Coordinates of all heavy atoms in Angstrom, one line a residue:
M1 N 23.2 -4.0 7.7 CA 22.0 -3.6 7.0 C 21.8 -2.1 7.1 O 22.1 -1.5 8.2 CB 20.7 -4.3 7.6 CG 19.4 -3.9 6.9 SD 18.0 -4.7 7.5 CE 17.9 -4.0 9.2
T2 N 21.3 -1.5 6.1 CA 21.0 0.0 6.1 C 19.5 0.2 6.1 O 18.8 -0.5 5.3 CB 21.7 0.7 4.9 OG1 23.1 0.4 4.9 CG2 21.4 2.2 4.9
I3 N 19.0 1.0 6.9 CA 17.6 1.4 6.9 C 17.5 2.8 6.6 O 18.0 3.7 7.3 CB 17.0 1.1 8.3 CG1 17.1 -0.4 8.7 CG2 15.5 1.5 8.3 CD1 16.7 -0.7 10.1
T4 N 16.8 3.2 5.5 CA 16.5 4.5 5.2 C 15.1 4.9 5.5 O 14.2 4.2 5.0 CB 16.8 4.8 3.7 OG1 18.1 4.4 3.4 CG2 16.6 6.2 3.3
K5 N 14.8 5.9 6.3 CA 13.5 6.3 6.7 C 13.0 7.5 5.9 O 13.8 8.4 5.7 CB 13.5 6.6 8.2 CG 13.9 5.5 9.1 CD 13.9 5.9 10.5 CE 15.1 6.7 10.8 NZ 15.3 7.0 12.2
Q6 N 11.7 7.5 5.6 CA 11.1 8.7 4.9 C 9.7 8.8 5.5 O 8.9 7.8 5.4 CB 11.1 8.5 3.4 CG 10.5 9.7 2.8 CD 10.4 9.6 1.2 OE1 11.0 8.7 0.7 NE2 9.8 10.5 0.6
T13 N 7.9 5.2 5.2 CA 8.6 4.2 4.3 C 9.9 3.9 4.9 O 10.7 4.8 5.3 CB 8.8 4.9 2.9 OG1 7.5 5.2 2.4 CG2 9.5 3.9 2.0
L14 N 10.2 2.6 5.0 CA 11.5 2.1 5.4 C 12.1 1.3 4.3 O 11.5 0.3 3.9 CB 11.3 1.2 6.7 CG 10.8 1.8 7.9 CD1 10.7 0.8 9.0 CD2 11.7 3.0 8.4
A15 N 13.2 1.7 3.7 CA 13.9 1.0 2.7 C 15.0 0.2 3.3 O 15.9 0.8 4.0 CB 14.4 2.0 1.6
L16 N 15.0 -1.1 3.1 CA 16.0 -1.9 3.7 C 17.0 -2.3 2.7 O 16.7 -2.7 1.5 CB 15.3 -3.2 4.3 CG 14.1 -3.0 5.2 CD1 13.6 -4.3 5.7 CD2 14.5 -2.1 6.4
E17 N 18.3 -2.4 3.1 CA 19.4 -2.7 2.2 C 20.3 -3.7 2.9 O 20.8 -3.4 4.0 CB 20.1 -1.5 1.7 CG 21.2 -1.8 0.7 CD 21.9 -0.5 0.2 OE1 21.3 0.6 0.4 OE2 23.0 -0.6 -0.4
G18 N 20.7 -4.8 2.3 CA 21.6 -5.7 2.9 C 20.9 -7.0 3.3 O 20.1 -7.6 2.6
R19 N 21.3 -7.4 4.6 CA 20.8 -8.6 5.1 C 19.9 -8.3 6.4 O 20.4 -7.7 7.3 CB 21.9 -9.5 5.5 CG 22.8 -10.0 4.3 CD 24.0 -10.7 4.8 NE 23.8 -11.8 5.6 CZ 23.6 -13.1 5.2 NH1 23.6 -13.3 3.9 NH2 23.3 -14.1 6.0
L20 N 18.7 -8.9 6.5 CA 17.9 -8.8 7.7 C 18.0 -10.2 8.3 O 17.3 -11.1 7.9 CB 16.5 -8.5 7.3 CG 15.5 -8.3 8.5 CD1 16.0 -7.3 9.5 CD2 14.1 -7.9 7.9
D21 N 18.9 -10.3 9.4 CA 19.1 -11.6 10.0 C 19.2 -11.4 11.5 O 18.8 -10.4 12.0 CB 20.4 -12.2 9.4 CG 21.6 -11.2 9.6 OD1 21.6 -10.3 10.4 OD2 22.6 -11.4 8.8
T24 N 21.1 -8.2 12.5 CA 20.5 -6.9 12.2 C 19.0 -6.7 12.5 O 18.5 -5.5 12.5 CB 20.7 -6.6 10.6 OG1 20.0 -7.6 9.9 CG2 22.2 -6.6 10.3
S25 N 18.3 -7.7 12.8 CA 16.9 -7.6 13.0 C 16.6 -6.8 14.3 O 15.6 -6.0 14.3 CB 16.2 -9.0 13.1 OG 16.7 -9.8 14.1
E27 N 18.0 -4.1 15.1 CA 18.0 -2.7 14.6 C 16.7 -2.3 14.0 O 16.2 -1.2 14.3 CB 19.2 -2.5 13.6 CG 19.3 -1.1 13.1 CD 20.4 -1.0 12.0 OE1 21.2 -2.0 11.8 OE2 20.5 0.0 11.4
L28 N 16.1 -3.2 13.2 CA 14.9 -2.9 12.5 C 13.8 -2.8 13.6 O 12.9 -1.9 13.5 CB 14.5 -3.9 11.5 CG 13.2 -3.7 10.8 CD1 13.1 -2.3 10.1 CD2 12.9 -4.8 9.8
A29 N 13.8 -3.7 14.5 CA 12.8 -3.7 15.6 C 12.9 -2.4 16.4 O 11.8 -1.8 16.7 CB 13.0 -4.9 16.6
V31 N 13.9 0.6 15.3 CA 13.4 1.6 14.4 C 11.9 1.6 14.4 O 11.2 2.6 14.5 CB 14.0 1.5 13.0 CG1 13.3 2.4 12.0 CG2 15.5 1.8 13.0
L32 N 11.3 0.4 14.3 CA 9.9 0.3 14.2 C 9.3 0.8 15.6 O 8.3 1.5 15.6 CB 9.5 -1.1 13.9 CG 9.7 -1.6 12.5 CD1 9.7 -3.1 12.4 CD2 8.8 -0.9 11.5
L42 N 2.4 2.0 6.6 CA 3.8 1.6 6.7 C 4.2 0.9 5.4 O 3.5 -0.1 5.0 CB 4.1 0.7 7.9 CG 5.5 0.1 7.9 CD1 6.6 1.2 8.1 CD2 5.6 -0.9 9.1
L43 N 5.2 1.3 4.7 CA 5.7 0.7 3.5 C 7.1 0.2 3.8 O 8.0 1.0 4.2 CB 5.7 1.6 2.3 CG 6.4 1.1 1.1 CD1 5.7 -0.1 0.5 CD2 6.6 2.2 0.0
I44 N 7.4 -1.1 3.7 CA 8.7 -1.6 3.8 C 9.2 -2.0 2.4 O 8.7 -2.9 1.8 CB 8.7 -2.9 4.8 CG1 8.2 -2.5 6.2 CG2 10.1 -3.5 4.8 CD1 8.2 -3.6 7.2
D45 N 10.2 -1.3 2.0 CA 10.7 -1.4 0.6 C 11.9 -2.4 0.7 O 12.9 -2.1 1.3 CB 11.1 -0.1 0.1 CG 11.6 -0.1 -1.4 OD1 12.0 -1.2 -1.9 OD2 11.6 0.9 -2.0
M46 N 11.8 -3.5 0.1 CA 12.9 -4.5 0.1 C 13.7 -4.6 -1.2 O 14.3 -5.7 -1.4 CB 12.2 -5.9 0.5 CG 11.6 -6.0 1.8 SD 11.1 -7.6 2.2 CE 10.7 -7.4 4.0
E47 N 13.6 -3.6 -2.0 CA 14.3 -3.6 -3.3 C 15.8 -4.0 -3.1 O 16.3 -4.7 -4.0 CB 14.2 -2.3 -4.0 CG 14.8 -2.3 -5.4 CD 14.5 -1.0 -6.1 OE1 14.0 -0.1 -5.5 OE2 14.7 -1.1 -7.4
R48 N 16.4 -3.6 -2.1 CA 17.9 -3.8 -1.9 C 18.2 -4.8 -0.8 O 19.3 -4.9 -0.4 CB 18.6 -2.5 -1.7 CG 18.6 -1.6 -2.9 CD 19.6 -0.5 -2.8 NE 19.7 0.1 -4.1 CZ 19.3 1.3 -4.5 NH1 18.6 2.0 -3.6 NH2 19.5 1.8 -5.7
L49 N 17.1 -5.5 -0.3 CA 17.4 -6.5 0.7 C 17.7 -7.8 0.0 O 17.0 -8.3 -0.9 CB 16.1 -6.7 1.5 CG 16.3 -7.5 2.8 CD1 17.1 -6.7 3.8 CD2 14.9 -7.8 3.4
V50 N 18.8 -8.5 0.4 CA 19.3 -9.6 -0.3 C 19.1 -10.9 0.5 O 19.2 -12.0 -0.1 CB 20.8 -9.5 -0.7 CG1 21.0 -8.4 -1.7 CG2 21.7 -9.3 0.5
Y51 N 18.8 -10.8 1.8 CA 18.7 -12.0 2.6 C 17.7 -11.7 3.8 O 17.7 -10.6 4.3 CB 20.0 -12.4 3.2 CG 19.9 -13.6 4.1 CD1 19.8 -14.9 3.6 CD2 19.9 -13.5 5.5 CE1 19.8 -16.0 4.4 CE2 19.9 -14.5 6.3 CZ 19.8 -15.8 5.8 OH 19.7 -16.9 6.6
L52 N 16.9 -12.7 4.1 CA 15.9 -12.6 5.2 C 15.9 -13.9 6.0 O 15.6 -14.9 5.4 CB 14.5 -12.3 4.6 CG 13.4 -12.2 5.6 CD1 13.5 -11.0 6.5 CD2 12.0 -12.1 4.9
G56 N 14.4 -12.1 11.1 CA 13.9 -10.9 10.3 C 12.4 -11.1 10.1 O 11.6 -10.2 10.2
L57 N 12.0 -12.4 9.8 CA 10.5 -12.7 9.6 C 9.8 -12.3 10.9 O 8.7 -11.8 10.8 CB 10.3 -14.2 9.3 CG 10.7 -14.6 7.9 CD1 10.6 -16.1 7.8 CD2 9.7 -14.0 6.9
V59 N 10.4 -10.0 13.1 CA 10.3 -8.5 13.2 C 9.2 -8.1 12.2 O 8.4 -7.2 12.5 CB 11.6 -7.8 12.9 CG1 11.4 -6.3 12.9 CG2 12.6 -8.2 14.0
I60 N 9.2 -8.6 11.0 CA 8.2 -8.2 10.0 C 6.8 -8.6 10.5 O 5.8 -7.8 10.4 CB 8.5 -8.9 8.6 CG1 9.8 -8.5 8.1 CG2 7.3 -8.7 7.6 CD1 9.9 -7.0 7.7
A63 N 5.6 -6.2 13.2 CA 5.2 -4.9 12.6 C 3.8 -5.1 11.9 O 3.0 -4.2 12.1 CB 6.2 -4.5 11.5
M73 N 0.0 -2.0 6.4 CA 1.4 -2.2 6.1 C 1.5 -2.9 4.7 O 0.8 -3.8 4.4 CB 2.1 -3.1 7.1 CG 3.5 -3.4 6.9 SD 4.3 -4.3 8.2 CE 4.7 -5.8 7.3
T74 N 2.5 -2.4 3.9 CA 2.7 -3.0 2.6 C 4.2 -3.3 2.5 O 5.0 -2.5 3.0 CB 2.4 -2.0 1.5 OG1 1.0 -1.6 1.6 CG2 2.6 -2.6 0.1
V75 N 4.5 -4.4 1.9 CA 5.9 -4.8 1.6 C 6.1 -4.7 0.1 O 5.2 -5.3 -0.7 CB 6.2 -6.2 2.1 CG1 7.6 -6.7 1.8 CG2 6.0 -6.3 3.6
A76 N 7.1 -4.1 -0.4 CA 7.3 -3.8 -1.8 C 8.6 -4.3 -2.3 O 9.6 -4.3 -1.5 CB 7.0 -2.4 -2.1
H77 N 8.7 -4.5 -3.6 CA 9.9 -4.8 -4.3 C 10.7 -6.0 -3.7 O 11.9 -5.9 -3.4 CB 10.8 -3.6 -4.4 CG 10.2 -2.4 -4.9 ND1 10.0 -1.2 -4.2 CD2 9.6 -2.2 -6.1 CE1 9.3 -0.4 -4.9 NE2 9.1 -0.9 -6.1
V78 N 10.0 -7.1 -3.6 CA 10.6 -8.3 -3.0 C 11.3 -9.1 -4.0 O 10.7 -9.5 -5.1 CB 9.5 -9.1 -2.3 CG1 10.1 -10.4 -1.6 CG2 8.8 -8.3 -1.2
I82 N 13.7 -13.9 -1.5 CA 12.9 -13.5 -0.3 C 11.4 -13.9 -0.5 O 10.7 -14.3 0.4 CB 13.1 -12.1 0.0 CG1 14.6 -11.9 0.5 CG2 12.1 -11.6 1.1 CD1 15.0 -10.5 0.8
F86 N 8.9 -16.1 1.8 CA 7.5 -15.7 2.2 C 6.5 -16.8 1.8 O 5.6 -17.0 2.5 CB 7.1 -14.4 1.5 CG 7.7 -13.1 2.1 CD1 7.9 -12.0 1.4 CD2 8.2 -13.1 3.5 CE1 8.4 -10.8 1.9 CE2 8.7 -12.0 4.0 CZ 8.8 -10.8 3.3

Side-chain angles (χ1 to χ4, degrees):
M1 179 179 67
T2 303
I3 302 170
T4 305
K5 301 178 279 188
Q6 180 180 352
T13 300
L14 298 178
L16 309 181
E17 183 174 347
R19 298 171 54 89
L20 181 53
D21 55 23
T24 60
S25 61
E27 179 184 352
L28 178 58
V31 168
L32 289 165
L42 173 62
L43 172 63
I44 299 179
D45 186 339
M46 296 187 171
E47 184 172 13
R48 293 195 166 108
L49 193 68
V50 296
Y51 178 79
L52 178 65
L57 285 171
V59 174
I60 298 295
M73 181 175 114
T74 304
V75 177
H77 306 119
V78 179
I82 292 175
F86 285 156

